[in-house]
């Protein structure tokens, strides 16, 4: 199956990835090949088959809504240099 | 025999008798790592100081009459499992400087059991790969042949155990990432039932498929390490309560009367003849020990790999959306605005294979393709699970080769799809959430062959019994020290 360049550009945008021309073209070829392979699933009639997202018969895992100690703020912030007044620092979101 | 060559159960015995102490064991381990790891490249980080300090503490506890299941035993951890205060990189530039503020539950359990964390092992970036060639940080070779890959993605843990750099290690298995490298390196690798081991603190790749499990040189050691890490954890709501077992129980009881199915689809085209012969020769011996063996069929097997790459990539694209350069991980220096910061950080931080999987996952989840690919794959997942359910009405376990071939050479699989095909015999197990073990069953062309035993959910004990019988009939395999 051939995936066109426009689709690759669009998917890269959704995935928040910048790719140069060469990388885009390589990915287009790789994805065409991989998607071509996985298209083999279309051979199967699955009209009446249920989906399995998860193998365990688990339902919602509830717990009591109690106040618990959470991680210390300094530790939460320990993996970035961009912090201010106990918050993560991010570029301006709205003008 | 040097201390670093001992199994865990042997070490425990001589530690308890006072014939050695944990500092001596740890020094021997570190000495061997110093000697060999320059060639092997199994470790991304070795914590000599921390390990020796923990060993002293273990010896002190033992002198005080304390005991714990792994007291003073050195262990290595795959670098996608969080260790508080010690870098956890996933072998990615994205997390090159990430220092987790907490321990994964398995690490916490190991520490509580008295284990000594020696270091963190190399892997394919974010566990995406089958050869460890996708590590952005280091090259790991196969201790049996330095021109060959150790397998992946837990290649570092497999190589470290095979080269006697550590007696046991932890890895993670999403589509074969414990079993396939165990097979390539001639060691034991166990992927537990989904839900058996807490995933809290395992950096997520594909959450409905990932499980943490042990690598060891002996089946007994794998069972003992599983004892330590298994169990319900309130921090992982997919871990299952009420399933506690003691996995060494009855491991040597023999396999008389066990019913073994050989799924014919796992012995077909694409499986090299020497691997097939090696596995079938061992199956014959198991039959001689009183097991009932019969050919069977899992008709939807040929669709498992396609379903796997859709499901795992979809989950990965969603899980890896968290790497945005804000709270942790690589952050781009220059950017125009928030979206630009996200995209630059991600583009600089992720390697080629990770980008490929994110793109594939994003594609199959995108509007217009969701039903045709993702939803379809979830339905096929049901069909594959039903295949196994049916087989397990009749058989206690299924046996197959772990990998279609022995360890391949670096650069041999240059195209991604060809590399994905290396996982064809291991991925169905993850799709169905089953336990499976790879145990060495012989050599082909001087390289180890792994035999895979697949079991019913939460029946690791039967897997371990069969694997023990295989081990008894294989004899010890060990790479020559170069």
């Amino acid at each position: 199956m051939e995936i066109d360049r426009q689709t690759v550009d669009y998917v890269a945008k959704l995935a928040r990835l910048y790719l140069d021309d060469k990388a885009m073209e390589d990915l287009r070829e790789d994805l065409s090949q991989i998607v071509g392979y996985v298209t083999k699933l279309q051979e199967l009639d699955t009209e009446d088959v249920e989906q399995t997202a998860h193998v365990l018969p688990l339902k919602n895992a509830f717990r009591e809504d109690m106040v618990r100690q959470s991680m210390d703020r300094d530790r939460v912030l320990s993996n970035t240099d961009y912090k201010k007044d106990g918050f993560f620092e991010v570029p301006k979101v709205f003008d | 025999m040097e201390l670093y060559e001992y199994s865990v159960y042997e070490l425990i015995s001589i530690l308890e008798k006072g014939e050695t102490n944990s500092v001596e064991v740890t020094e021997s381990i570190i000495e061997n790592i110093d000697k060999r790891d320059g060639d092997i490249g199994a470790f991304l980080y070795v914590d000599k100081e921390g390990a020796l300090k923990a060993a002293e503490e273990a010896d002190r506890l033992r002198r005080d009459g304390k005991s714990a299941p792994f007291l003073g035993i050195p262990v290595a951890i795959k670098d996608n499992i969080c260790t508080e205060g010690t870098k956890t990189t996933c072998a990615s530039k994205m997390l090159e400087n990430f220092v987790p503020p907490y321990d994964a539950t398995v690490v916490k359990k190991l520490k509580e059991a008295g284990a000594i964390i020696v270091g963190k092992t190399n892997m394919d970036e974010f566990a995406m790969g089958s050869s460890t060639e996708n590590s952005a940080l280091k090259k790991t070779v196969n201790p049996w042949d330095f021109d060959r890959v150790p397998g992946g993605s837990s290649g570092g843990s497999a190589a470290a155990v095979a080269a006697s750099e550590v007696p046991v290690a932890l890895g993670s298995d999403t589509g074969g990432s414990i079993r396939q490298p165990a097979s390539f390196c001639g060691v034991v690798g166990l992927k537990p039932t989904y839900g058996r081991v807490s995933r809290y603190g395992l950096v997520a790749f594909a959450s409905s498929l990932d499980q943490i499990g042990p690598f060891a040189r002996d089946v007994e050691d794998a069972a003992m390490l599983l004892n330590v890490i298994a169990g319900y954890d309130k921090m992982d709501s997919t871990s299952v309560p009420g399933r506690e077992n003691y996995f060494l129980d009855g491991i040597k009881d023999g396999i008389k009367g066990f019913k073994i199915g050989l799924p014919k689809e796992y012995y077909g085209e694409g499986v090299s003849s020497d691997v097939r012969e090696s596995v079938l020769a061992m199956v014959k011996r198991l039959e001689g020990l009183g097991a009932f063996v019969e050919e069977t069929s899992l008709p939807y097997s040929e669709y498992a790999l396609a379903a796997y790459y859709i499901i795992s990539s979809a989950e990965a694209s969603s899980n890896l959306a968290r790497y945005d350069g804000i709270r942790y991980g690589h952050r781009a220096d220059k950017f125009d605005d928030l979206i630009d910061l996200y995209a630059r950080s991600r583009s600089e931080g992720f390697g080629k294979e990770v980008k490929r999987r994110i793109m594939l996952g994003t594609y199959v989840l995108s509007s217009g393709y969701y039903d045709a690919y993702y939803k379809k794959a979830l339905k096929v997942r049901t069909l594959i699970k039903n295949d196994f359910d049916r087989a397990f009405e009749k058989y206690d376990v299924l046996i197959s080769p772990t990998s279609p071939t022995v360890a391949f050479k670096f650069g041999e699989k240059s195209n991604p799809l060809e590399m994905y095909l290396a996982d064809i015999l291991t991925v169905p197990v993850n799709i169905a959430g089953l336990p499976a073990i790879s145990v060495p069953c012989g050599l082909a062309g001087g390289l180890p062959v792994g035999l895979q035993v697949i079991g019913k959910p939460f029946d690791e004990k039967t897997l371990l019994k069969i694997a023990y019988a295989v081990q008894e009939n294989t004899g010890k395999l060990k790479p020559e020290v170069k």
Side-chain angles (χ1 to χ4, degrees):
Chain A
M1 196 180 122
E2 275 304 299
I3 291 182
D4 59 28
R5 179 59 190 267
Q6 206 187 339
T7 306
V8 183
D9 285 342
Y10 172 66
V11 173
K13 201 176 155 217
L14 290 177
R16 302 271 188 259
L17 289 171
Y18 292 147
L19 299 157
D20 62 26
D21 254 0
K22 164 92 170 65
M24 282 284 189
E25 187 46 35
D26 287 352
L27 263 171
R28 198 192 62 74
E29 281 172 26
D30 291 347
L31 288 180
S32 297
Q33 197 190 16
I34 298 164
V35 171
Y37 175 76
V38 302
T39 299
K40 130 194 214 84
L41 297 187
Q42 307 309 327
E43 296 166 12
L44 293 170
D45 177 9
T46 53
E47 187 64 35
D48 300 321
V49 181
E50 295 276 326
Q51 300 174 40
T52 300
H54 212 276
V55 289
L56 297 173
L58 290 173
K59 295 276 179 281
N60 287 331
F62 290 115
R63 62 171 169 77
E64 290 302 308
D65 187 15
M66 306 261 284
V67 177
R68 290 185 303 177
Q69 183 65 40
S70 50
M71 197 180 283
D72 185 66
R73 188 188 293 220
D74 288 340
R75 287 166 75 199
V76 174
L77 291 164
S78 63
N79 273 286
T80 180
D81 295 330
Y82 301 86
K83 53 197 158 192
K84 205 171 162 186
D85 306 328
F87 293 99
F88 290 104
E89 206 181 353
V90 295
K92 200 156 79 174
V93 180
F94 300 109
D95 278 321
Chain B
M1 192 159 124
E2 301 290 334
L3 281 171
Y4 63 77
E5 294 169 286
Y6 281 70
S7 293
V8 171
Y9 68 89
E10 294 167 336
L11 286 174
I12 287 173
S13 155
I14 59 173
L15 283 166
E16 279 176 355
K17 286 186 202 141
E19 289 169 17
T20 186
N21 59 48
S22 181
V23 169
E24 283 178 0
V25 172
T26 307
E27 279 172 347
S28 172
I29 291 278
I30 289 175
E31 212 175 288
N32 195 42
I33 292 174
D34 281 343
K35 197 170 83 195
R36 303 204 66 188
D37 209 51
D39 291 328
I40 307 284
F43 281 91
L44 286 172
Y45 174 69
V46 180
D47 184 12
K48 289 185 193 176
E49 224 174 281
L52 284 169
K53 230 173 96 185
E56 280 168 23
E57 175 65 9
D59 286 337
R60 195 184 60 74
L61 287 170
R62 199 179 291 281
R63 275 197 305 275
D64 291 349
K66 301 267 174 18
S67 80
F70 262 55
L71 190 57
I73 303 295
V75 177
I77 311 279
K78 186 178 182 182
D79 211 23
N80 60 348
I81 299 173
C82 286
T83 43
E84 183 176 343
T86 299
K87 268 202 248 180
T88 299
T89 67
C90 288
S92 178
K93 296 229 177 292
M94 180 58 86
L95 291 176
E96 205 170 356
N97 298 306
F98 176 64
V99 181
Y102 70 100
D103 274 331
T105 296
V106 291
V107 172
K108 196 167 148 241
K109 282 180 176 241
L110 276 170
K111 287 179 178 170
E112 282 165 5
I116 291 161
I117 314 268
V118 180
K120 305 297 292 285
T121 56
N122 198 20
M123 54 187 281
D124 286 298
E125 183 178 0
F126 282 101
M128 296 171 185
S130 310
S131 66
T132 311
E133 288 168 289
N134 293 334
S135 169
L137 306 179
K138 197 168 189 171
K139 178 180 178 177
T140 303
V141 303
N142 190 313
W144 290 79
D145 178 347
F146 292 178
D147 292 330
R148 290 174 193 270
V149 303
S153 68
S154 313
S157 287
V161 171
S164 298
E165 294 181 23
V166 73
V168 286
L170 289 184
S172 67
D173 190 315
T174 304
S177 283
I178 291 174
R179 289 160 286 154
Q180 186 255 23
S183 165
F184 280 14
C185 292
V187 298
V188 177
L190 171 65
K191 179 239 170 249
T193 309
Y194 186 83
R196 171 69 86 180
V197 177
S198 168
R199 294 180 292 108
Y200 180 66
L202 169 68
V203 177
F205 162 10
S207 306
S208 81
L209 305 165
D210 299 339
Q211 264 296 281
I212 296 170
F215 282 96
R217 289 192 293 275
D218 302 273
V219 175
E220 300 94 306
D221 282 7
M224 289 167 76
L225 185 48
L226 185 60
N227 280 337
V228 174
I229 61 171
Y232 172 71
D233 174 20
K234 67 177 186 336
M235 301 303 282
D236 174 4
S237 55
T238 62
S239 65
V240 176
R243 295 284 190 165
E244 276 64 22
N245 274 316
Y246 185 66
F247 297 102
L248 272 177
D249 269 353
I251 202 169
K252 298 178 183 176
D253 283 357
I255 59 163
K256 211 176 165 78
F258 277 121
K259 294 195 192 73
I260 298 173
L262 306 179
K264 64 171 191 240
E265 293 81 3
Y266 287 56
Y267 293 84
E269 206 188 325
V271 177
S272 76
S273 57
D274 46 359
V275 166
R276 188 189 303 129
E277 277 159 26
S278 176
V279 170
L280 288 175
M282 180 55 68
V283 168
K284 261 252 149 345
R285 300 180 81 158
L286 298 179
E287 207 172 2
L289 294 170
F292 168 80
V293 180
E294 190 177 72
E295 190 182 90
T296 185
S297 172
L298 300 169
Y300 289 104
S301 298
E302 64 169 303
Y303 300 98
L305 193 73
Y308 171 81
Y309 273 93
I310 292 172
I311 295 167
S312 64
S313 301
E315 292 187 23
S317 75
S318 165
N319 272 324
L320 271 60
R322 73 190 62 177
Y323 300 100
D324 56 7
I326 305 293
R327 292 150 302 152
Y328 49 81
H330 174 76
R331 177 174 173 132
D333 287 334
K334 291 197 185 84
F335 51 86
D336 296 333
D337 55 23
L338 190 64
I339 302 294
D340 192 46
L341 170 61
Y342 294 162
R344 281 179 196 261
S345 301
R346 292 167 64 77
S347 305
E348 292 167 10
F350 290 137
K352 204 170 174 187
E353 180 62 23
V354 175
K355 286 176 183 163
R356 196 180 284 132
R357 306 261 185 133
I358 291 174
M359 290 288 286
L360 177 62
T362 307
Y363 175 80
V364 298
L365 288 176
S366 66
S367 133
Y369 299 103
Y370 181 92
D371 283 1
Y373 295 106
Y374 186 64
K375 205 166 148 189
K376 186 84 180 180
L378 294 185
K379 289 182 165 196
V380 175
R381 186 174 196 177
T382 306
L383 296 174
I384 290 160
K385 188 170 176 294
N386 291 348
D387 265 359
F388 281 112
D389 288 348
R390 266 194 300 274
F392 285 127
E393 282 170 17
K394 199 160 174 203
Y395 306 104
D396 298 302
V397 296
L398 302 170
I399 287 182
S400 76
T402 305
S403 164
T405 64
V406 294
F408 46 86
K409 290 191 166 153
F410 285 98
E412 192 179 314
K413 303 204 186 278
S414 53
N415 116 12
L417 188 57
E418 210 183 314
M419 185 69 89
Y420 297 173
L421 286 164
D423 302 337
I424 200 148
L425 304 176
T426 47
V427 297
V429 166
N430 300 73
I431 287 181
L434 302 170
I437 191 168
S438 178
V439 56
C441 67
L443 296 175
L447 293 165
V449 176
L451 176 147
Q452 175 173 243
V453 191
I454 306 170
K456 297 173 184 172
F458 297 100
D459 193 18
E460 284 84 352
K461 279 175 102 164
T462 302
L463 295 189
L464 288 159
K465 273 184 200 173
I466 302 217
Y468 183 79
V470 171
Q471 171 176 286
E472 287 293 282
N473 282 274
T474 302
K476 291 236 164 145
L477 305 178
K478 223 171 100 182
E480 232 173 88
V481 181
K482 286 186 189 161

